[in-house]
Amino acid sequence: MSQSILTARIMEALAAGRKALIPFLPGGFPDKERFFDELDALDAGGADIIEIGVPFSDPVADGPVVEKASLDCLLNGTCLSWLFHELSKRKGRYKAGLVLMGYYNPFLQYGLDNLAEDAAEAGVNGFIVPDLPLEESGPMAEALGKFDLDLIPLVGLNTSEERLAAYAEKARGFVYFVSVLGTTGMRESLPAEIAERLAAVRRIFKVPVALGFGIKRPEQLSAFGDLIDAVVFGSALIAHIDAGGTAAEFMARWRS
């Protein structure tokens, strides 16, 4: 495989003296037309990687903000085929790397080989699948690998070092560290044991480390220093747009 585009984007941010920024936005949010305006704004506003959520009817890791937004997108007709079609028309438009984040069932139903081929054609660089265990990830990783697409591992506070090592053997792009035991959503504070667990992740993985879940504002990152390379934020961005704001305004907070 060639060097991961997602790794490269994060390393470019670090070389510029900052953490990489990875905003999350559900596909089709707040509506199908404005979604791509906001995607353009995230890219222009300095996003290094953009996670596009694939709406699903039975999410297990989504908090109330993300879940409501995703269900609204489903009602408005967002689906994988639509996302691939629209992204294909815009291929090459974004400087940021693109990642699809979603649950395994829609990907499996789409057909893993078709999924990988269409994702590559649409300019997607990787996938995050919260409900796909390491032991069952082989078929998807193999299909994605044919097109140099990354399957991003998710690890957390309760992931043992033995299991971290198993994930690290196959990790590409970056590793996503989930900061809380629970669903996505904004939190005023993060668990005290995060730094200790991040130190283990940093030691074991060779790819960059991104911190996500519960991130509301830049000040929350100060405690982690060089233990992380990137930050993922979704619920706070969605809430900002829901309240009448724009992605451009939100990104300005993180680049100031």
Side-chain angles (χ1 to χ4, degrees):
M1 289 185 181
S2 59
Q3 183 191 29
S4 167
I5 290 173
L6 302 177
T7 300
R9 293 291 177 271
I10 294 175
M11 298 309 293
E12 288 165 9
L14 294 174
R18 61 179 179 82
K19 307 297 184 189
L21 301 177
I22 309 179
F24 166 89
L25 200 64
F29 177 84
D31 58 57
K32 281 185 168 182
E33 290 187 6
R34 190 176 159 196
F35 170 71
F36 286 100
D37 294 335
E38 300 298 352
L39 203 63
D40 289 344
L42 291 173
D43 189 58
D48 299 288
I49 296 169
I50 301 172
E51 289 182 16
I52 299 173
V54 179
F56 183 53
S57 58
D58 298 295
V60 296
D62 295 349
V65 173
V66 175
E67 182 175 7
K68 180 184 182 303
S70 295
L71 291 177
D72 287 346
C73 292
L74 275 180
L75 291 173
N76 290 332
T78 298
C79 63
L80 265 174
S81 297
W82 176 80
L83 275 173
F84 285 147
H85 177 72
E86 294 298 323
L87 287 171
S88 294
K89 294 193 297 186
R90 298 164 173 83
K91 188 176 182 180
R93 179 168 174 168
Y94 304 108
K95 182 179 184 298
L98 298 180
V99 172
L100 292 188
M101 184 170 187
Y103 296 92
Y104 191 51
N105 186 273
F107 299 147
L108 183 64
Q109 293 299 319
Y110 196 90
L112 296 180
D113 290 331
N114 292 334
L115 179 80
E117 183 175 1
D118 289 356
E121 181 60 33
V124 172
N125 307 115
F127 284 79
I128 300 172
V129 189
D131 63 341
L132 181 60
L134 174 65
E135 292 80 4
E136 299 175 22
S137 64
M140 185 168 186
E142 181 179 355
L144 297 181
K146 296 173 184 176
F147 294 89
D148 278 349
L149 305 181
D150 300 336
L151 183 58
I152 307 301
L154 278 163
V155 301
L157 292 169
N158 59 346
T159 308
S160 69
E161 292 204 10
E162 180 181 5
R163 194 160 179 80
L164 288 176
Y167 274 110
E169 284 183 14
K170 301 178 181 179
R172 273 179 55 86
F174 61 93
V175 54
Y176 189 136
F177 184 86
V178 178
S179 66
V180 296
L181 295 175
T183 59
T184 62
M186 297 170 284
R187 289 167 171 81
E188 291 302 322
S189 61
L190 296 174
E193 63 268 30
I194 288 180
E196 179 183 347
R197 299 307 301 157
L198 279 171
V201 172
R202 170 67 82 202
R203 184 177 72 253
I204 292 169
F205 281 82
K206 299 291 189 281
V207 295
V209 179
L211 178 68
F213 280 49
I215 308 299
K216 183 178 180 180
R217 55 187 183 276
E219 296 78 22
Q220 289 174 286
L221 305 183
S222 59
F224 307 119
D226 293 337
L227 292 174
I228 63 171
D229 305 302
V231 56
V232 184
F233 41 81
S235 295
L237 171 61
I238 293 167
H240 177 77
I241 293 174
D242 250 345
T246 66
E249 296 166 350
F250 192 87
M251 290 301 294
R253 299 178 184 174
W254 289 86
R255 292 301 302 267
S256 60

